[in-house]
């Protein structure tokens, strides 16, 4: 994907088997999924890092297989983000940096995102500050908080935003309004509503790489209202010279490419000069117009 898209758009994964025969070729081997995915989207959430770090050889292979201009946005391991204390003096931290450095050297590293547990509140901001100051400056970082006091508009939220802005870090925007706007229509939506946080949306950009994680519905059209709002904000940021990173989730993430396509179509309403998304014509279409 050409960098003329002016923003980065992707899914929570690149290797969902059910994508074969939709926007990925039917019968494609598992080993070729990343290369094909990166022809359509220019980024991906590296959620697997949260649970376990892969071998160095695996990360090196990802860097080789992905298309030019593609970026991985890796999630900091839970052994760091969800521990009783944010620590950098642990083997897992050193291993994380080692793997991120491989992607950086290959020009495949986007912002890494640190997702804090909901219990991580304002009383631990000094701890977060120490972590930020130790983080390698050449590796972009985005931070997602879930404690309710960071969403009140009060001094706690202002302190967080000031800390992030001071260190050129973006605050992750998590938008689950579409998911919760109505009762679940299937077991996957019910499960997703039970797991995902329901927090206010703050359309703030504390740095030059706004980072959005959007959760839709399994009936894509039900998310249209919130997709349109997000696309308006993203288009505005692009006009300001920023480069947003946008990740689309569905309760059934098999549908994430469809949600991406619909979002991109909304962005192009504001910025028609942005090229259409190269969703290929394959055995099974995604049920959306091709000129996205």
């Amino acid at each position: 994907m050409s960098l003329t898209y002016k923003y980065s758009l992707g899914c929570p994964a690149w290797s969902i088997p059910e994508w074969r025969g939709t926007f990925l070729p039917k019968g494609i081997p598992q080993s070729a999924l990343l290369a094909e995915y990166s022809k359509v989207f220019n980024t991906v959430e590296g959620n697997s890092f949260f649970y376990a770090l892969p071998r160095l050889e695996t990360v090196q292979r990802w860097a080789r297989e992905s298309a030019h201009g593609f970026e991985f946005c890796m999630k900091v391991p839970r052994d760091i983000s969800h521990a009783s204390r944010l620590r950098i003096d642990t083997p897992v931290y050193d291993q994380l940096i080692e793997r991120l450095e491989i992607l950086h050297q290959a020009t495949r590293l986007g912002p890494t995102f640190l997702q804090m547990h909901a219990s991580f509140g304002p009383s631990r901001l000094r701890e977060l500050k120490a972590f930020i100051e130790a983080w390698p400056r050449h590796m972009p970082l985005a931070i997602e908080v879930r404690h309710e006091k960071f969403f009140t508009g009060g001094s706690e939220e202002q302190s967080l935003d000031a800390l992030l802005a001071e260190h050129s870090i973006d605050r992750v925007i998590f938008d689950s309004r579409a998911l919760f706007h109505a009762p679940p229509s299937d077991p996957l939506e019910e499960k997703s509503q039970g797991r995902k946080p329901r927090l206010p949306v703050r359309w703030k950009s504390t740095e030059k790489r706004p980072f959005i994680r959007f959760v839709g519905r399994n009936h894509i059209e039900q998310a249209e209202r919130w997709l349109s709002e997000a696309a308006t904000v993203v288009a505005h940021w692009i006009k300001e010279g920023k480069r947003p990173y946008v990740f689309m989730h569905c309760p059934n993430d098999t549908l994430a490419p469809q949600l991406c396509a619909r979002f991109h179509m909304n962005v192009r309403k504001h910025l028609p000069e942005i090229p259409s998304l190269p969703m290929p014509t394959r055995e099974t279409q995604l049920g959306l117009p091709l000129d996205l």
Side-chain angles (χ1 to χ4, degrees):
M1 178 182 282
S2 168
L3 293 181
T4 58
Y5 276 84
K6 300 182 180 179
Y7 79 109
S8 296
L9 177 65
C11 301
W14 69 75
S15 59
I16 295 179
E18 291 79 5
W19 287 346
R20 295 182 177 97
T22 56
F23 89 102
L24 297 180
K26 185 177 181 179
I28 183 175
Q30 185 77 16
S31 60
L33 290 178
L34 174 57
E36 288 294 323
Y37 171 93
S38 66
K39 293 177 182 177
V40 180
F41 299 110
N42 57 358
T43 191
V44 70
E45 273 194 15
N47 288 300
S48 62
F49 266 42
F50 183 71
Y51 302 101
L53 292 172
R55 297 174 58 187
L56 293 175
E57 295 80 3
T58 300
V59 180
Q60 291 167 345
R61 177 169 52 79
W62 292 347
R64 291 194 305 269
E65 292 177 354
S66 52
H68 177 72
F70 187 84
E71 292 180 325
F72 295 86
C73 292
M74 296 309 192
K75 192 174 183 179
V76 172
R78 58 185 172 182
D79 290 345
I80 297 172
S81 62
H82 286 43
S84 59
R85 182 170 64 88
L86 277 173
R87 295 176 59 187
I88 62 171
D89 57 340
T90 62
V92 68
Y93 180 86
D94 294 336
Q95 293 163 9
L96 169 65
I97 299 302
E98 189 176 17
R99 284 148 180 79
L100 295 179
E101 188 62 38
I102 291 172
L103 296 174
H104 170 72
Q105 292 296 327
T107 67
R108 295 293 188 273
L109 182 63
T112 300
F113 68 107
L114 174 68
Q115 180 192 87
M116 306 309 305
H117 191 272
S119 63
F120 188 97
S123 64
R124 297 179 66 184
L125 278 181
R126 182 174 297 180
E127 185 181 328
L128 180 60
K129 183 175 186 290
F131 181 90
I132 289 171
E133 290 177 343
W135 185 260
R137 291 181 177 270
H138 63 286
M139 295 180 181
L141 184 65
I143 294 177
E144 179 180 334
V145 292
R146 295 185 168 185
H147 194 285
E148 59 184 12
K149 287 191 176 181
F150 290 128
F151 296 87
T152 63
S155 59
E156 296 94 343
E157 183 171 7
Q158 293 170 17
S159 295
L160 170 67
D161 292 343
L163 173 64
L164 300 184
E166 178 186 356
H167 294 276
S168 302
I169 294 173
D170 274 293
R171 177 173 173 174
V172 174
I173 299 162
F174 187 86
D175 190 350
S176 60
R177 292 174 298 169
L179 174 66
F180 287 104
H181 90 281
S185 59
D186 60 50
L188 287 176
E189 288 190 347
E190 182 178 13
K191 181 179 180 181
S192 189
Q193 286 187 355
R195 296 177 59 187
K196 301 293 186 184
R198 189 175 187 175
L199 295 165
V201 173
R202 293 286 191 262
W203 292 120
K204 296 179 179 179
S205 175
T206 52
E207 230 319 274
K208 297 179 180 179
R209 301 179 183 89
F211 198 110
I212 299 173
R213 305 179 70 222
F214 185 100
V215 185
R217 304 281 296 208
N218 288 338
H219 294 282
I220 302 300
E221 67 281 357
Q222 293 181 2
E224 183 63 31
R225 168 185 167 189
W226 297 276
L227 278 178
S228 177
E229 179 184 329
T232 299
V233 174
V234 166
H236 175 72
W237 281 333
I238 292 172
K239 291 176 182 177
E240 289 185 332
K242 297 179 180 180
R243 184 174 185 88
Y245 287 75
V246 181
F247 299 94
M248 291 287 148
H249 297 245
C250 286
N252 177 3
D253 274 329
T254 300
L255 303 171
Q258 288 176 269
L259 196 61
C260 285
R262 201 171 190 111
F263 176 80
H264 190 72
M265 181 170 58
N266 274 283
V267 172
R268 293 189 72 232
K269 291 177 182 178
H270 301 278
L271 298 167
E273 69 275 15
I274 292 181
S276 59
L277 197 67
M279 299 293 273
T281 304
R282 293 238 164 91
E283 293 87 345
T284 304
Q285 290 301 336
L286 291 175
L288 290 164
L290 289 180
D291 186 20
L292 299 170

